[in-house]
Amino acid sequence: MSKIALRVNGRAHTVDVDPTTPLLYVLSDDLELRGPKFGCGLGLCGACTVIVKGRAVRSCVTPVSTMEGAEITTLEGLGTIEKPHPIQRAFIDAQAAQCGFCLSGVILTAKAFLDQNPRATEPQIRQAMSGVLCRCFTHNRMYDAIKKYAQEKRS
Amino acid sequence: MSGELSRRDFLKQSGGLVVSFSLAPLARLEPSRDGVVQRGGGAPRSQIDSKQLDSWNGIGADGRVTAHSGKCELGQGMHTAQVQLIAEELAVPIDRVKLIMCDTSISPDQGTTSGSQSHPANFNHENLALACATAREALVGLAAARLGVPPDQLTVTDGMVAAKNDASKKVAYGELVGGKKFSLALNPNAKRRDPRSWKVLGTSVPRVDLPAVVTGQMEFVQNVRAPGMVHGCVVRPPAVGATLLSVDESSVQGMPGVIKVVVRKNFVGVVAEKPWQAIQAASRLKATWTPASLPRQAEFYDYVRKQPSRDELLVDSRDVDETLSRAATVVKATYRHPYQMHGSLGSSCAVADVQSDRATVWSSTQSAYPTRNGVAMLLGLPPERVRVVFTRGSGCYGLNGADTVSYDAALLSQAAGRPVRVQLSRKDEMAFENYGQPYVIEQRVGLDRDGNIVAWDHESWSATLGNRPGYDTPGNVITGTLAGFQPAAFAPRTPAPPPSGRFDNGSNAAPSYVAGCVGGACGGTGSVKSERVLTHAIRGPFFTGPLRSPSRLQNTFAHESVLDEIAARLNVDPVEYRLRHLRDPRLIDVVKAAAKAANWQSRPSPRRGTGATANGRGMACVLYEGDNGYCALVADVDVDRNSGRIAVKRFVVAQDCGPISSPDGMKNQIEGGVLQGMSRAVGEEVTWDDTKVTSVDWRTYRSLTMGADMPSIESVLINRTEGEAMGAGETAITLVAAAIGNAVFDATGARLREVPFTAERVKAVLGSLKEGGSGKSEV
């Protein structure tokens, strides 16, 4: 066990864990966050995605020790029910979810990519999303929401 | 409002009602009404009397409505749809309704939320809808007495009862019953509000739970944390059927956080302080098993046909062989459909708190009460001492790992004496879930000289093992079997007895084009009177269970494909050919509506185009389960002749499920259904080797990702306000494999008779065409 300092959604935390523990378990168990979720534990589906230094990171395959001091943003770190982030607003407006289990992967991967590539074309966005799964297959509505967010960013 | 109800404060909500959860009185195991004494968890009994209004609805002093339902939110929008129903019938705003779903301490027992049954059960004239209508009429009656105005002179709006002619005479619901019980039975004569005057139901109310889900606030079962909770991880055998030889507990001795190794018959698990510690210990634990032996996958469809089977005849006019022998032409074709999995995005998870005389399980099971009884059997507790609290999970699409992991958590918590959370690994979710059944289906269809169908002979073989556990068969899923319970017994039966009772289309085993005549009454949707539908169920090597459109999808793939094969042989347009043999007007209407919206051009298939990319269109239609949702689908596809790759460009769906609760909610289900159906049709197949399942992650079980090009989807909704509410979640997916297969044939002349339509398989069929081989059906 070792003490590791994390910054999550703007708040500082110190956890005392096995340093090889994947970040996801620390976020969902030690910090009781609900955004990042366990989907596969293999980095193949996206459900555990968080944003670190502007990039989408699969927290289920990221040892917590490599995150010391990094600023981590989870789905609940973007906005609130009362004041959702624009990309979350776009998903609500488009009713772009069914079970919603995939949303950390879908929303945070799209956000991180579009924030870095605001002029990305649709094929480029799809390429960026190619490792993300939604098994309810709400794809078309999700792309409507993602494109709306991209448009808002550009204008 | 987060759209959820914390389990900590579920008892102190504002709603008046609330049948309290009491652990005190222990009901004895008594004979049920049919005189059978139920064993262990067996009886489907609830302390909540579903005939009583207070079991469904309560009105608080503040006028808020608290409602209880046994149909739960699985991602399909059932929370919002039920809130709409309650708001409509009781004339209250949406935000004054609180709905609690599937908590066995307070919800009526409505069995399982599945099978497109939530609308039929709760939106017609019984259960929740009837409770709401009963409550509204009771409120009007109370107001009539209070205001001195006859009930027919009163109207309800916005949580108030008011005199139609005197606005000053009014009273709020809260003043009428606030905090008190109705103490009334459901009134079977209570009138539903007329769908033509609906203001809330029938409109596209945004999902009430979505803001919490989208902002990561929603409590999923994965997020449940009980005081003192620790973490469990199961150790599964290498394959279904392997039995435990030994466990070497010393292999995990001294590992950090390990609390206990649990062994019960063939069930093995580890409990540790932290989830990562439990996972590491489970992977380190030395357990040895007997080897398992599986039938070879390459020969599996032949294997299935050679096993002892349980046979059933759904319809048999007893003249089929003779009619076929006289037919001008007999078209024969064999279709194959593999095992497919639910493949929930989230591995299943549950939290159990088992004490010596009681247990609570937080579970995303679709079957709160049956799971309660199954857990009770596993733990040796009376079912009344077990509470199952439905807590939403990852979309399940049928029986995923939610039930089995609930058993896992209960067994580990009982052994550890502490609340235990179990989250399955991806491999344990995928290798041991209850797959959708594989099928081999033979069609023999006789035609007269004018090309009319005169006889239809359908024969299928499918592999099964286990199922939903129901109230008394925990052995129907892996954990129950490992812990010593048996799956539902399998009793071969050949030949099948003659059909009796009323016609049942048997999970759409009967095609839409037959008359469906049993005992002189015809319940089918078609006109073909010489008909035989014979099914063979065999015992397969893997657990099976309902997967979205269970068996209906496989059967419909075969029916709607062979129909097109016949139309192509006759050089007739496939939509026209369908209409020639259908007689149900609503099914005819959806076929016409889909064709019109898709701008269907009447011509025979195939198109015989040239060029590297071939384009084609295909149609399929169904009356789901013979009585539960009309749907027709047109697929427009491109096929790359060089690679065999199929790209679906557009889906057009026409659907009639009676009165529509939420147009946008229905569209969302249609869209998800067709795309999930497309993923299943083009790529999904469970694979195995001689000893184990090899589809254990998203590399070895191929789902279409967010990177895939998706077709546009157009939904034509036919709103029948005068009809019964039917299910809408499984209709469109039922048609996708057939519509795509028909479109590929239209584009290329290549007939796909085996799902999935992988590029390699399409290429092989295209190749056989070039060699003059059969894209054609056998004659």
Side-chain angles (χ1 to χ4, degrees):
Chain A
M1 305 290 262
S2 55
K3 285 209 161 78
I4 294 166
L6 298 172
R7 280 191 68 79
V8 184
N9 299 330
R11 292 180 55 187
H13 301 270
T14 303
V15 292
D16 189 13
V17 294
D18 172 352
T20 68
T21 306
L23 174 64
L24 172 64
Y25 298 101
V26 176
L27 296 175
S28 61
D29 189 50
D30 296 272
L31 305 185
E32 297 199 10
L33 292 170
R34 294 176 176 181
K37 295 181 172 68
F38 181 90
C40 65
L42 305 162
L44 297 175
C45 74
C48 64
T49 302
V50 297
I51 293 180
V52 182
K53 292 181 190 154
R55 294 192 180 278
V57 168
R58 302 277 162 104
S59 68
C60 74
V61 288
T62 304
V64 63
S65 58
T66 66
M67 290 288 113
E68 177 99 43
E71 178 66 50
I72 298 160
T73 304
T74 70
L75 189 60
E76 57 258 79
L78 290 191
T80 61
I81 291 173
E82 295 72 28
K83 200 171 177 232
H85 183 276
I87 193 168
Q88 291 170 321
R89 179 82 260 159
F91 272 70
I92 295 167
D93 289 346
Q95 293 288 290
Q98 289 188 23
C99 81
F101 204 88
C102 64
L103 287 178
S104 286
V106 177
I107 291 179
L108 296 180
T109 306
K111 180 184 184 295
F113 181 72
L114 286 170
D115 288 354
Q116 301 219 336
N117 306 277
R119 309 218 160 265
T121 62
E122 187 166 341
Q124 288 170 330
I125 300 172
R126 284 192 192 266
Q127 179 61 35
M129 301 295 289
S130 63
V132 177
L133 283 176
C134 164
R135 284 288 287 170
C136 299
F137 290 90
T138 326
H139 292 50
N140 289 8
R141 287 166 182 250
M142 289 175 167
Y143 273 106
D144 289 346
I146 290 167
K147 283 188 270 185
K148 188 178 167 206
Y149 174 66
Q151 241 165 25
E152 280 177 15
K153 268 201 84 67
R154 283 197 294 270
S155 61
Chain B
M1 133 105 186
S2 69
E4 62 159 290
L5 177 76
S6 144
R7 64 198 170 282
R8 291 167 200 90
D9 60 19
F10 88 99
L11 281 175
K12 41 178 179 164
Q13 59 217 280
S14 61
L17 124 226
V18 189
V19 179
S20 62
F21 172 53
S22 165
L23 281 169
L26 250 189
R28 298 250 170 258
L29 289 177
E30 289 165 358
S32 60
R33 274 190 209 143
D34 58 8
V36 178
V37 178
Q38 300 288 343
R39 295 161 291 117
R45 300 149 48 104
S46 167
Q47 76 281 22
I48 312 295
D49 183 352
S50 64
K51 300 294 177 207
Q52 288 297 313
L53 176 53
D54 295 310
S55 302
W56 299 92
N57 284 317
I59 310 265
D62 57 1
R64 287 179 179 275
V65 177
T66 300
H68 301 154
S69 170
K71 298 295 180 186
C72 36
E73 175 63 53
L74 309 172
Q76 84 284 44
M78 194 40 60
H79 183 170
T80 305
Q82 291 182 111
V83 167
Q84 287 179 257
L85 168 70
I86 297 156
E88 181 65 51
E89 288 297 331
L90 283 166
V92 293
I94 289 271
D95 61 8
R96 259 185 263 165
V97 178
K98 177 171 270 183
L99 176 67
I100 302 167
M101 293 169 285
C102 303
D103 177 335
T104 61
S105 69
I106 40 179
S107 311
D109 181 4
Q110 293 199 278
T112 298
T113 304
S114 72
S116 295
Q117 289 300 317
S118 297
H119 263 87
N122 273 359
F123 288 73
N124 285 315
H125 210 75
E126 52 186 351
N127 303 318
L128 182 62
L130 185 63
C132 292
T134 302
R136 188 188 68 249
E137 293 194 354
L139 289 162
V140 169
L142 290 168
R146 172 86 66 101
L147 300 173
V149 177
D152 63 355
Q153 296 297 308
L154 292 170
T155 180
V156 288
T157 345
D158 204 19
M160 308 275 291
V161 188
K164 285 179 185 165
N165 302 324
D166 182 355
S168 68
K169 288 190 173 175
K170 59 181 180 181
V171 58
Y173 293 172
E175 297 171 49
L176 291 168
V177 285
K180 295 195 293 291
K181 292 186 174 186
F182 283 102
S183 298
L184 282 175
L186 295 198
N187 174 10
N189 299 316
K191 280 207 174 65
R192 289 282 316 276
R193 278 157 79 99
D194 184 342
R196 286 168 298 185
S197 66
W198 282 350
K199 294 185 178 66
V200 182
L201 201 54
T203 67
S204 294
V205 170
R207 287 259 304 264
V208 295
D209 51 340
L210 226 51
V213 174
V214 170
T215 54
Q217 302 295 319
M218 176 62 73
E219 182 187 56
F220 283 74
V221 69
Q222 284 81 357
N223 306 119
V224 169
R225 298 292 178 272
M229 184 183 90
V230 290
H231 297 265
C233 190
V234 295
V235 179
R236 297 289 197 224
V240 174
T243 56
L244 184 64
L245 292 171
S246 68
V247 174
D248 177 9
E249 290 196 28
S250 70
S251 58
V252 296
Q253 206 164 27
M255 286 187 75
V258 171
I259 296 168
K260 197 172 175 71
V261 173
V262 179
V263 179
R264 179 164 154 183
K265 298 203 164 80
N266 293 304
F267 173 82
V268 181
V270 179
V271 180
E273 296 288 347
K274 296 259 180 195
W276 184 238
Q277 293 168 335
I279 291 165
Q280 287 177 306
S283 69
R284 184 89 64 86
L285 186 73
K286 279 190 185 142
T288 52
W289 306 82
T290 59
S293 167
L294 298 172
R296 281 176 56 85
Q297 181 157 22
E299 289 133 32
F300 187 65
Y301 292 116
D302 293 330
Y303 169 90
V304 168
R305 294 172 65 140
K306 290 173 188 155
Q307 304 309 304
S309 61
R310 184 168 182 82
D311 300 349
E312 187 174 6
L313 268 171
L314 291 157
V315 63
D316 183 8
S317 57
R318 299 185 181 205
D319 62 351
V320 170
D321 293 322
E322 191 205 330
T323 317
L324 287 173
S325 71
R326 283 191 284 107
T329 312
V330 177
V331 177
K332 299 178 193 169
T334 304
Y335 301 88
R336 298 175 181 86
H337 196 284
Y339 282 108
Q340 290 181 332
M341 66 170 74
H342 303 79
S344 284
L345 186 68
S347 292
S348 295
C349 180
V351 175
D353 181 3
V354 180
Q355 299 176 24
S356 60
D357 63 345
R358 68 181 70 176
T360 305
V361 183
W362 291 270
S363 167
S364 62
T365 178
Q366 295 167 274
S367 316
Y369 277 93
T371 299
R372 175 194 75 156
N373 288 28
V375 166
M377 290 173 75
L378 284 157
L379 299 179
L381 288 172
E384 294 81 2
R385 306 305 309 236
V386 178
R387 176 180 166 206
V388 171
V389 185
F390 171 80
T391 313
R392 63 191 283 161
S394 183
C396 56
Y397 328 114
L399 179 61
N400 68 348
D403 289 19
T404 217
V405 80
S406 301
Y407 297 168
D408 290 328
L411 290 171
L412 292 178
S413 175
Q414 187 177 45
R418 293 174 68 173
V420 175
R421 173 182 183 272
V422 180
Q423 181 171 270
L424 297 178
S425 71
R426 178 58 18 200
K427 179 183 171 190
D428 288 340
E429 178 82 18
M430 285 186 161
F432 295 98
E433 66 149 87
N434 292 62
Y435 303 132
Q437 295 170 23
Y439 266 85
V440 182
I441 298 172
E442 278 195 356
Q443 307 274 22
R444 288 179 289 275
V445 183
L447 311 176
D448 67 15
R449 286 186 200 291
D450 298 325
N452 299 306
I453 300 174
V454 291
W456 196 306
D457 192 14
H458 166 105
E459 187 169 9
S460 72
W461 293 259
S462 70
T464 68
L465 173 64
N467 201 339
R468 286 194 191 281
Y471 294 88
D472 61 2
T473 318
N476 272 348
V477 295
I478 181 70
T479 307
T481 299
L482 294 174
F485 292 87
Q486 293 298 312
F490 175 75
R493 179 181 67 182
T494 304
S500 61
R502 285 179 58 193
F503 169 71
D504 170 354
N505 89 0
S507 304
N508 291 105
S512 297
Y513 308 96
V514 301
C517 302
V518 177
C522 301
T525 51
S527 57
V528 179
K529 291 240 172 180
S530 182
E531 50 184 352
R532 179 167 58 199
V533 175
L534 173 60
T535 64
H536 309 271
I538 70 130
R539 187 148 219 182
F542 308 118
F543 282 104
T544 53
L547 166 62
R548 200 172 186 179
S549 191
S551 304
R552 291 107 174 127
L553 186 159
Q554 294 91 322
N555 286 321
T556 303
F557 164 59
H559 298 321
E560 292 297 302
S561 296
V562 79
L563 199 284
D564 266 46
E565 298 208 36
I566 299 164
R569 284 198 60 77
L570 297 167
N571 226 23
V572 177
D573 175 78
V575 168
E576 277 174 41
Y577 197 66
R578 279 179 171 76
L579 295 173
R580 207 195 281 188
H581 295 90
L582 291 175
R583 63 188 177 102
D584 185 311
R586 289 171 75 177
L587 189 51
I588 290 168
D589 279 357
V590 290
V591 169
K592 287 181 174 171
K596 185 178 172 202
N599 193 24
W600 183 276
Q601 304 298 309
S602 178
R603 61 169 175 77
S605 292
R607 166 176 265 170
R608 300 181 211 286
T610 52
T613 303
N615 173 262
R617 87 282 164 90
M619 143 83 63
C621 67
V622 74
L623 169 53
Y624 190 72
E625 299 174 327
D627 63 2
N628 196 15
Y630 294 88
C631 195
L633 170 67
V634 174
D636 184 349
V637 309
D638 282 350
V639 182
D640 178 39
R641 288 186 209 266
N642 295 319
S643 66
R645 207 180 147 269
I646 298 169
V648 181
K649 309 308 284 184
R650 180 172 74 145
F651 283 123
V652 177
V653 183
Q655 181 154 292
D656 164 11
C657 295
I660 299 169
S661 293
S662 167
D664 190 62
M666 185 183 270
K667 279 186 183 170
N668 204 347
Q669 281 300 295
I670 288 172
E671 290 163 13
V674 290
L675 297 186
Q676 190 176 60
M678 182 172 101
S679 181
R680 286 173 63 176
V682 302
E684 296 188 26
E685 174 170 24
V686 174
T687 58
W688 65 92
D689 64 18
D690 293 346
T691 59
K692 64 186 182 302
V693 170
T694 50
S695 294
V696 292
D697 59 32
W698 297 117
R699 284 194 192 93
T700 48
Y701 189 79
R702 302 304 295 251
S703 171
L704 290 177
T705 76
M706 287 291 296
D709 285 324
M710 288 293 170
S712 65
I713 303 164
E714 187 181 332
S715 302
V716 180
L717 308 184
I718 298 173
N719 189 23
R720 303 259 191 205
T721 53
E722 74 282 10
E724 293 276 292
M726 299 172 173
E730 300 179 283
T731 39
I733 195 172
T734 306
L735 303 171
V736 178
I740 292 177
N742 289 340
V744 170
F745 177 81
D746 184 53
T748 64
R751 174 53 61 180
L752 301 173
R753 300 195 187 94
E754 182 171 343
V755 172
F757 311 148
T758 57
E760 301 74 40
R761 193 166 274 150
V762 174
K763 206 174 160 183
V765 179
L766 284 167
S768 73
L769 277 183
K770 277 186 206 150
E771 293 154 17
S774 90
K776 283 192 176 169
S777 41
E778 305 163 45
V779 179

